[in-house]
């Protein structure tokens, strides 16, 4: 009788631990867009957290294929001297719900992919050609500082940028550079810091930026006009 009671106690303990673990790991699904406001009337809803799914019986092999000509160099004559060719769920519907996307990044000599962040994805970068100076900045630490981690990458090297952190890539070579990035979201999003701060619509009140950057208000207004 005692053995049976001990066994039942052990079974109950394991069951409670399993329940506790399941609750501890329970969470809402990660957002796949900037926001998704709830509505009560479904006929007025235009988005879900992600994309609506095609009926499985209508799916074809072509749905899992993307002919993006990622072997072709892109124009890098812009101000930053770089060009990002993104392949997210917007360009490749077969990525829906798979939690992955990619991009090709072309760099002119001394071109850069300026400081930016992906709010929904970790990025792993592979350098195919050239030499890149890359890095990311941490969130605010306990001492109030933000740590910078940098590395010079050559062809064949790989670097990872943790989700949500500000990062950048700069071509420090005299020739073109090419890199490919894998991202852990079908829609990673991108916030280019300078564009977001100085080029938002409508503009951020210059008084806010003047105090934040501790610079003259005329400089802030000049930068806002640039963007």
């Amino acid at each position: 009788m005692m053995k049976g009671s001990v066994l039942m106690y052990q079974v109950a303990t394991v069951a409670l631990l399993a329940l506790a673990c399941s609750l501890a790991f329970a969470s809402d699904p990660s957002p796949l867009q900037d926001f998704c406001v709830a509505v009560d009337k479904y006929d007025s809803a235009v988005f879900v957290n992600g994309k609506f799914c095609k009926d499985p019986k209508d799916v074809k092999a072509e749905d899992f294929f993307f002919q993006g000509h990622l072997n072709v160099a892109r124009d890098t004559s812009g101000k930053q001297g770089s060009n990002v060719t993104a392949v997210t769920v917007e360009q490749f519907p077969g990525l829906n719900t798979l939690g992955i996307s990619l991009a090709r990044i072309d760099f002119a000599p001394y071109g850069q992919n300026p400081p930016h962040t992906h709010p929904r994805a970790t990025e792993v970068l592979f350098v195919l050609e050239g030499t890149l100076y890359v890095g990311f900045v941490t969130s605010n630490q306990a001492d109030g500082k933000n740590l910078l981690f940098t590395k010079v990458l050559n062809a064949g090297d790989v670097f990872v940028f943790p989700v949500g952190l500000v990062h950048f890539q700069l071509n420090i070579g005299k020739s073109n550079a090419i890199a490919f990035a894998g991202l852990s979201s079908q829609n990673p999003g991108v916030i280019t810091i300078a564009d977001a701060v100085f080029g938002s619509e409508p503009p951020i009140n210059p008084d806010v930026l003047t105090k934040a950057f501790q610079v003259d208000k005329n400089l802030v207004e000049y930068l806002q006009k640039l963007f």
Side-chain angles (χ1 to χ4, degrees):
M1 189 70 178
M2 284 292 293
K3 288 184 179 180
S5 297
V6 170
L7 179 61
M8 289 181 63
Y9 175 77
Q10 291 175 334
V11 170
T13 301
V14 171
L16 287 171
L17 285 173
L19 178 60
C21 288
S22 67
L23 291 174
F25 287 103
S27 66
D28 290 333
S30 298
L32 297 173
Q33 55 212 37
D34 284 346
F35 46 79
C36 185
V37 180
V39 293
D40 294 325
K41 297 181 179 179
Y42 300 117
D43 58 352
S44 66
V46 293
F47 289 106
V48 292
N49 189 26
K51 298 286 186 179
F52 291 104
C53 300
K54 181 184 284 190
D55 189 324
K57 69 176 182 291
D58 296 327
V59 172
K60 297 180 171 57
E62 287 74 15
D63 292 314
F64 304 101
F65 170 75
F66 176 77
Q67 191 170 29
H69 304 291
L70 294 180
N71 60 316
V72 178
R74 266 44 177 193
D75 179 19
T76 57
S77 62
K79 291 181 178 180
Q80 298 294 338
S82 67
N83 194 322
V84 179
T85 305
V87 184
T88 70
V89 70
E90 296 298 329
Q91 296 82 27
F92 189 3
L95 296 179
N96 194 38
T97 75
L98 299 184
I100 193 170
S101 59
L102 71 151
R104 171 182 170 134
I105 313 168
D106 289 274
F107 299 87
Y110 308 110
Q112 71 166 345
N113 191 10
H116 63 282
T117 177
H118 301 293
R120 293 178 288 275
T122 291
E123 174 183 343
V124 60
L125 185 82
F126 165 71
V127 179
L128 182 65
E129 295 179 11
T131 302
L132 299 179
Y133 168 70
V134 308
F136 68 86
V137 181
T138 67
S139 57
N140 298 351
Q141 302 299 295
D143 58 4
K145 295 181 180 179
N146 301 85
L147 302 178
L148 172 65
F149 293 91
T150 65
K151 195 74 176 175
V152 173
L153 306 182
N154 296 299
D157 291 342
V158 175
F159 196 83
V160 65
F161 305 102
V163 59
L165 298 185
V166 175
H167 59 283
F168 58 86
Q169 300 105 28
L170 171 67
N171 182 7
I172 58 175
K174 297 180 180 180
S175 59
N176 293 336
I178 304 170
F180 282 86
L183 300 112
S184 61
S185 171
Q186 68 181 47
N187 183 25
V190 59
I191 302 170
T192 304
I193 306 304
D195 290 344
V197 172
F198 296 107
S200 65
E201 288 290 342
I204 297 173
N205 187 317
D207 292 335
V208 173
L209 300 180
T210 297
K211 192 164 187 177
F213 288 98
Q214 295 292 292
V215 296
D216 185 81
K217 187 175 181 179
N218 291 329
L219 176 58
V220 169
E221 292 175 340
Y222 169 74
L223 290 171
Q224 287 182 316
K225 288 178 182 177
L226 285 181
F227 289 90

